[in-house]
Amino acid sequence: MTSRARGSTRSPYTPKVSVRTSRRRAVATTRSPASRAAVTSARPRPREQIFLDLTAEGWREWSAALRGRLTACERAAPAAVADAFAVTLSARPLFCDLLAQAPLNLERNVSLEAVRAFKLGTLEEVARIGAELDRLLGLSEEQAVDTVATATSMAGALWQVATPRAALRELYASEPRLGHAVVEVEPRLRRVLTALLAGTNDDSGTRTT
């Protein structure tokens, strides 16, 4: 699933409220507190909440897969760690798409409690990944958080660039000067993270390859 609409400019992640829905909400606000609570409990989850739940599930699944690859690393090599990040992220296109959409659309259209639960769950996965980065490269908590934040934000952004609509892809392919716009997520993410981790490793003065 990507955020590019087919034949439309509307993102599937942005809220869509019909006139009929707006009228129902207006009627609901005139009822008693008990009636409003009953309406709220019976109301289906908004699609932004569904997508945010999928993002949370994606974090758990990706974190487990990444940690599995990191556990298998025999050497504390920044390049090997960067490769594990790049491979596991690029293999999950829906997750990459949702990583970009979560702060842009999803978190802005759900309850504060939903955002709180999502953020705390994400922090738990970041801490688990950070433990592996500490074991392999001796990264501090702050350095590990920066690494995960860079990897996930870059993956989300690069995926948007790498999946343009068909007309744009044809334009980029037909114009040599726009060739840089054709992005492959995995190799670019690997290069960026290798440079980041090599520099971080040198600055920390800890384990080296």
Side-chain angles (χ1 to χ4, degrees):
M1 181 184 300
T2 67
S3 63
R4 279 143 302 284
R6 293 168 176 79
S8 171
T9 58
R10 176 183 291 276
S11 166
Y13 304 103
T14 54
K16 179 171 64 176
V17 180
S18 66
V19 174
R20 182 178 298 177
T21 300
S22 300
R23 289 174 178 170
R24 284 202 302 268
R25 290 178 179 173
V27 171
T29 59
T30 64
R31 296 173 177 169
S32 67
S35 297
R36 291 199 299 270
V39 170
T40 300
S41 63
R43 186 179 300 156
R45 291 184 302 165
R47 61 180 180 174
E48 292 80 21
Q49 181 64 65
I50 295 172
F51 284 129
L52 194 63
D53 290 344
L54 287 174
T55 311
E57 181 181 338
W59 266 100
R60 293 189 293 271
E61 195 274 333
W62 169 66
S63 171
L66 172 62
R67 286 181 284 116
R69 290 184 70 99
L70 293 178
T71 300
C73 289
E74 298 179 356
R75 296 188 305 150
V81 174
D83 181 72
F85 272 91
V87 169
T88 54
L89 281 168
S90 62
R92 292 163 173 79
L94 174 60
F95 182 51
C96 288
D97 195 6
L98 290 170
L99 284 171
Q101 297 298 331
L104 181 64
N105 290 312
L106 307 183
E107 294 176 13
R108 301 184 183 193
N109 293 289
V110 296
S111 68
L112 292 179
E113 183 55 37
V115 174
R116 178 180 182 275
F118 171 70
K119 293 291 193 184
L120 291 177
T122 299
L123 288 176
E124 291 179 1
E125 299 307 325
V126 172
R128 293 186 177 104
I129 296 169
E132 287 299 310
L133 295 178
D134 175 35
R135 179 183 67 84
L136 287 169
L137 301 175
L139 299 192
S140 67
E141 180 180 358
E142 182 180 64
Q143 290 170 330
V145 169
D146 286 348
T147 299
V148 176
T150 300
T152 53
S153 60
M154 285 291 297
L158 287 174
W159 183 255
Q160 305 305 315
V161 178
T163 54
R165 59 191 178 94
L168 284 177
R169 183 173 291 278
E170 292 174 3
L171 171 64
Y172 300 153
S174 65
E175 175 53 71
R177 290 175 297 176
L178 298 179
H180 66 279
V182 181
V183 175
E184 292 187 34
V185 177
E186 182 178 326
R188 180 166 295 188
L189 189 58
R190 182 184 293 109
R191 292 194 300 271
V192 170
L193 293 177
T194 298
L196 171 68
L197 288 169
T200 299
N201 209 39
D202 290 342
D203 290 342
S204 63
T206 55
R207 303 163 207 171
T208 58
T209 59

